[in-house]
Amino acid sequence: MRKGSIRIRGLSKRYRIGVFDDRPETLLGAASDLVMRPLRNLKRLRSLTRFGDGDSGDSTIWALKDISLDIHPGEVVGVIGHNGAGKTTLLKILSQITHPTRGRVELDGRVSSLLEVGTGFHPELTGRENVYLNGVILGMRKREVDRKFDAIVDFSGIRKFIDTPVKRYSSGMRVRLAFSVSAHLEPEILLIDEVLSVGDAQFQRKCLGKMDEARHSGRTILFVSHQMAMVTALCDRVILLDRGQVQMDGTSEEAVFRYLGASSSTGTTWVTLGAEDHGDDGSGRLSLRRWAVEDAQLGLGTEVRCGHRCAFHVEYEAPESSEGLEQLSIAMTIKDLLGTPLLTASTHLVGADFQTAPRRGIVKLELEQLPLIPGTYRVHLWTSVQGVAAAIARDAGQLEVLPGDPLGTGRLPRAAAHGVFLLSNYSWSISESLDTELPQSAGSS
Amino acid sequence: MIDAGSRLKLLDTRELWRFRDLFYHLVWKDVKTRYAQSVLGIGWAVFQPVFTMLVFTVVFGNLAKIDSDGVPYSIFSYSALVPWTYFSAALTGATASLIASSAMVSKVYFPRLVIPLAPVLARLIDFAVALAILFGLMAWYGIAPTVWAAALPFLVLLMMTCAAGLGLWLTPLAAQYRDVKYAMSFVIQMLMYAAPVVYPTSAVPESYRLFYAVNPMVGVIEGFRSALLGTIPMPLDLIAVGSVSALVILLTGLVYFRRTELYFADVV
Ligand SMILES: Nc1ncnc2c1ncn2[C@@H]1O[C@H](COP(=O)(O)OP(=O)(O)OP(=O)(O)O)[C@@H](O)[C@H]1O
Ligand SMILES: [Mg+2]
């Protein structure tokens, strides 16, 4: 076996859950319960680690059921699934924290896992002491930590707080430090469970960079996350777990699409625009409050599925003094992460400015199809009142386009291969000779 | 290589060696947290056995007039309290250790053995301090150690084996059954009366003595007294029985611990 590979065969893990605790209903029952309780308690506690054949299905749960997987060196594999699907359990078995009930795993190389915010951090100790503590818990030598200490602290970006007790850290700062230590362990296999989401955007980018670097040096990464955009951006391969079983093992687009199709969690999250984003030009005639994008499956938030119907909602407000607004014009531009404008929807361009508008309201923009390939984009909002520019939010926040099946073929477009825009209205034909005939479109004469 | 069906090696020394810095750290932390935020600090290592000695001297020496093999009762009981205090502290520490570090256990992998073994080593500091006081008392009473004092390191090793062995048994039990933790102080008190702390072994009928020595602390305590106070000739038979029994406890404890450690993360 090559360093960094993982081979899993028939892996199952059974947990005991049902803590059967029936209350006595009569006085006699209560009395006998008093006597019998220690015996029953003993049985119950014993059963935590012993599983008889006669165990009913109620009191135990198969957190993992007959999982077989091969993961190759250098692969970045995402693991997704609903709460309780068994993702953490899988990582715990791989990192030898707990033992499987059945099956085997062959791992080659040093394994490091990051299962929770600030794992093994001691709140009373300072960041510096905790770096050492965390390092030795993960199996580093003290000398090794000495050597890497500066790199770890630099990467975490919290040098200023390094001599502050960790209990005064924010949870994001804890994750920064913990991830930095884990990443500098230079393991052949890195297991990460839903922790990076606590970090801010800048740190997340840094982590993605580090993981990319790890991938290029042939390290294997297993990455559990509920953030589909992150999974799609980072992983070549995604495993979808459902009630302890592998429901799908394929490209990230396929697995995420399948997962989103099965979920119906409709949340409501708005992106609130801070004072500096209102882009108030000083005239104070209008300010932008918040925006969100609506997807039938995903609810109101910042995520849409590629090629599906969606609607953008933008809330604005004019000062108390004004009665209402005349000739309100609004435009939304979507840019890529480098800031290159990709497309714009504008009331002005299509000649549909609002001649009158209420003092405060929510503008809705409906799209039959957002022609963007899965990825992360940035939203730019622009308004004018009576032809004079009003509030402008140059960077109103991120828009995540998640995998979808817009063409209805089950073949999912991918950013890496298929560009930025989704093209769907085209036709292919084949003939023996050159066919220069262009069909007339309905609008032209 | 993780295999549901496989039996683990009894002792993975290479893995333990890899994590030796973690072990040092745990020992150091144990020592440090024990005395952090305490007024007496390391004074506790002295205070506890000395005060117990005073009480025992009044109650058992002066009131009950228990025989003390020809030396003052105070030094007679103190020489037993030095190893005994270590034993009870190490055992209590080991038993509580797994529950105390449950957060770590359920989130990171490392050889679980380092957890109960850390207090077994850490309490040696207290032991050394208490031992120094014993030497002071001996000087005060004008008692010189015998040549058998050279055997002290072996007795210390036996004492540690005994604490570690019982610790390995009780740690997993305590994680699964919290009763063990509650019962600890009571059980240790009872055990003290099953060892020659307040009375001499000569008070035990001759025919029961070897059976009595199955408790390894019997050999340790009488060994201490014989080596340092010269109360009785070195009780080699008691120590031999105790050594065998301590080894058996350690080995079976290790087997039990290794078998149960696979599920620590699930139950703590
Ligand atoms: N120590 C335990 N004892 C009993 N049951 C457990 C234990 N740990 C996990 N489980 C059960 O195993 C199942 C899988 O849990 P797991 O933590 O792997 O889910 P997950 O996929 O990580 O979920 P999430 O997305 O919420 O993190 C759950 O039903 C959970 O209740
Ligand atoms: Mg989880």
Side-chain angles (χ1 to χ4, degrees):
Chain A
M1 265 178 99
R2 285 205 290 145
K3 272 230 174 310
S5 55
I6 307 174
R7 183 185 297 158
I8 302 173
R9 288 290 173 274
L11 194 70
S12 302
K13 172 78 184 174
R14 178 155 62 170
Y15 278 123
R16 167 94 38 195
I17 42 161
V19 178
F20 29 86
D21 208 16
D22 31 35
R23 302 198 156 278
E25 278 164 17
T26 62
L27 196 61
L28 193 65
S32 81
D33 187 63
L34 208 62
V35 181
M36 299 304 284
R37 169 127 312 178
L39 263 177
R40 275 199 290 132
N41 279 345
L42 181 68
K43 235 176 98 180
R44 175 169 60 87
L45 288 174
R46 260 173 79 100
S47 67
L48 277 174
T49 47
R50 281 163 206 242
F51 296 99
D53 292 326
D55 271 327
S56 63
D58 296 355
S59 60
T60 65
I61 184 176
W62 286 99
L64 288 179
K65 216 166 173 181
D66 200 20
I67 305 255
S68 295
L69 290 170
D70 280 294
I71 292 165
H72 308 288
E75 264 189 318
V76 178
V77 180
V79 181
I80 58 175
H82 295 293
N83 295 128
K87 305 178 294 292
T88 304
T89 307
L90 178 63
L91 296 200
K92 277 191 176 176
I93 292 177
L94 293 183
S95 51
Q96 288 190 58
I97 291 166
T98 185
H99 200 65
T101 314
R102 285 187 205 145
R104 359 187 257 126
V105 179
E106 285 169 51
L107 288 156
D108 197 0
R110 189 143 119 154
V111 180
S112 164
S113 59
L114 197 56
L115 293 192
E116 206 171 84
V117 180
T119 302
F121 272 6
H122 196 296
E124 301 289 338
L125 300 179
T126 66
R128 181 188 302 275
E129 290 166 318
N130 267 306
V131 167
Y132 279 93
L133 169 58
N134 224 29
V136 296
I137 288 177
L138 294 173
M140 276 199 232
R141 295 300 320 278
K142 193 168 163 297
R143 245 177 291 126
E144 203 178 336
V145 185
D146 281 336
R147 199 151 31 78
K148 293 176 180 159
F149 187 81
D150 279 319
I152 292 174
V153 177
D154 283 340
F155 186 83
S156 72
I158 51 166
R159 185 173 282 282
K160 231 173 92 188
F161 299 92
I162 199 66
D163 288 310
T164 310
V166 162
K167 63 181 171 190
R168 310 218 190 290
Y169 282 25
S170 72
S171 44
M173 284 157 69
R174 268 176 237 193
V175 173
R176 276 170 170 251
L177 203 58
F179 180 81
S180 305
V181 178
S182 292
H184 286 82
L185 180 60
E186 289 166 12
E188 274 86 27
I189 299 170
L190 182 58
L191 311 171
I192 303 171
D193 189 0
E194 190 65 41
V195 286
L196 299 183
S197 48
V198 192
D200 56 22
Q202 178 212 349
F203 187 68
Q204 283 188 10
R205 265 202 297 283
K206 231 164 145 181
C207 295
L208 298 189
K210 189 83 191 170
M211 285 193 226
D212 226 32
E213 188 186 302
R215 170 193 356 220
H216 290 307
S217 54
R219 302 227 167 78
T220 310
I221 300 176
L222 242 74
F223 179 65
V224 171
S225 180
H226 287 287
Q227 284 180 300
M228 292 307 134
M230 203 148 162
V231 171
T232 341
L234 191 69
C235 307
D236 323 310
R237 175 179 166 196
V238 171
I239 291 158
L240 172 57
L241 285 183
D242 184 37
R243 274 159 287 171
Q245 285 172 307
V246 177
Q247 198 183 40
M248 170 139 212
D249 177 358
T251 66
S252 51
E253 283 76 14
E254 289 166 342
V256 170
F257 175 62
R258 175 89 168 262
Y259 172 69
L260 293 177
S263 71
S264 55
S265 58
T266 43
T268 306
T269 340
W270 289 82
V271 181
T272 308
L273 299 172
E276 67 277 15
D277 305 317
H278 292 175
D280 219 320
D281 59 345
S283 65
R285 284 172 307 154
L286 190 71
S287 54
L288 294 167
R289 287 285 164 227
R290 53 182 193 167
W291 69 274
V293 61
E294 181 186 356
D295 178 295
Q297 188 111 58
L298 304 172
L300 220 50
T302 57
E303 297 175 336
V304 286
R305 288 165 304 156
C306 166
H308 281 258
R309 249 186 102 83
C310 64
F312 285 84
H313 302 272
V314 182
E315 189 176 296
Y316 68 88
E317 188 179 17
E320 302 273 346
S321 50
S322 58
E323 297 279 291
L325 296 165
E326 272 174 38
Q327 206 194 340
L328 171 66
S329 175
I330 182 162
M332 178 191 73
T333 300
I334 292 176
K335 302 180 173 181
D336 67 12
L337 287 180
L338 299 174
T340 316
L342 300 177
L343 49 83
T344 295
S346 152
T347 53
H348 184 68
L349 282 180
V350 295
D353 290 347
F354 300 101
Q355 290 313 317
T356 58
R359 188 176 70 78
R360 49 183 302 177
I362 300 175
V363 181
K364 179 179 180 188
L365 164 67
E366 275 186 72
L367 290 169
E368 198 53 51
Q369 186 194 56
L370 184 69
L372 289 172
I373 294 278
T376 303
Y377 301 90
R378 304 207 72 92
V379 173
H380 172 108
L381 297 168
W382 177 92
T383 55
S384 76
V385 178
Q386 288 174 323
V388 182
I392 298 170
R394 280 183 209 294
D395 190 358
Q398 285 192 2
L399 172 73
E400 308 283 6
V401 179
L402 300 177
D405 180 18
L407 310 176
T409 55
R411 318 232 164 93
L412 310 178
R414 279 183 299 129
H418 301 141
V420 178
F421 293 106
L422 176 74
L423 201 55
S424 55
N425 46 348
Y426 49 85
S427 68
W428 293 96
S429 65
I430 195 162
S431 68
E432 294 271 310
S433 55
L434 179 63
D435 175 10
T436 56
E437 195 89 354
L438 261 187
Q440 300 271 312
S441 70
S444 56
S445 51
Chain B
M1 179 81 194
I2 304 164
D3 192 333
S6 76
R7 281 269 161 269
L8 287 167
K9 273 199 291 188
L10 190 55
L11 201 58
D12 193 343
T13 39
R14 255 189 47 204
E15 190 74 350
L16 278 176
W17 184 243
R18 181 156 91 83
F19 281 87
R20 62 190 178 281
D21 277 356
L22 172 61
F23 184 61
Y24 301 152
H25 171 84
L26 287 177
V27 172
W28 174 82
K29 193 180 95 180
D30 197 301
V31 173
K32 204 178 125 173
T33 52
R34 206 162 134 80
Y35 299 115
Q37 289 208 10
S38 93
V39 180
L40 278 183
I42 197 84
W44 278 109
V46 180
F47 187 75
Q48 205 184 338
V50 167
F51 210 76
T52 316
M53 171 194 81
L54 293 178
V55 172
F56 282 2
T57 308
V58 171
V59 177
F60 298 110
N62 295 355
L63 298 179
K65 301 220 186 318
I66 290 179
D67 178 39
S68 58
D69 280 346
V71 292
Y73 189 87
S74 51
I75 198 162
F76 170 84
S77 62
Y78 188 74
S79 61
L81 280 168
V82 172
W84 183 262
T85 307
Y86 163 81
F87 174 76
S88 75
L91 196 55
T92 315
T95 311
S97 61
L98 187 62
I99 302 170
S101 42
S102 62
M104 220 162 83
V105 167
S106 57
K107 265 141 225 150
V108 209
Y109 165 79
F110 53 87
R112 308 310 195 198
L113 265 176
V114 300
I115 292 184
L117 292 186
V120 169
L121 204 68
R123 298 298 188 269
L124 277 182
I125 306 264
D126 293 18
F127 172 77
V129 174
L131 191 63
I133 301 289
L134 177 57
F135 286 127
L137 274 179
M138 285 162 59
W140 171 265
Y141 283 111
I143 298 172
T146 70
V147 287
W148 281 103
L152 274 189
F154 177 79
L155 292 174
V156 170
L157 200 66
L158 181 56
M159 170 182 92
M160 289 173 69
T161 310
C162 182
L166 271 178
L168 290 182
W169 268 106
L170 290 177
T171 307
L173 284 172
Q176 196 163 0
Y177 309 101
R178 294 294 142 99
D179 314 50
V180 174
K181 197 176 139 197
Y182 308 140
M184 246 359 244
S185 62
F186 169 71
V187 169
I188 284 182
Q189 193 137 48
M190 290 295 109
L191 274 177
M192 194 187 77
Y193 293 104
V197 177
V198 298
Y199 56 87
T201 303
S202 53
V204 176
E206 189 84 54
S207 49
Y208 291 127
R209 278 199 200 146
L210 287 186
F211 180 67
Y212 178 60
V214 167
N215 174 359
M217 288 309 286
V218 171
V220 172
I221 291 171
E222 286 302 349
F224 259 77
R225 279 188 187 137
S226 161
L228 295 177
L229 311 180
T231 49
I232 50 168
M234 188 48 98
L236 292 174
D237 49 346
L238 300 184
I239 293 174
V241 172
S243 304
V244 171
S245 115
L247 268 183
V248 170
I249 296 172
L250 182 71
L251 283 178
T252 53
L254 198 56
V255 172
Y256 181 66
F257 189 91
R258 293 287 282 171
R259 250 189 47 198
T260 46
E261 73 171 357
L262 301 173
Y263 302 102
F264 281 173
D266 303 345
V267 293
V268 292

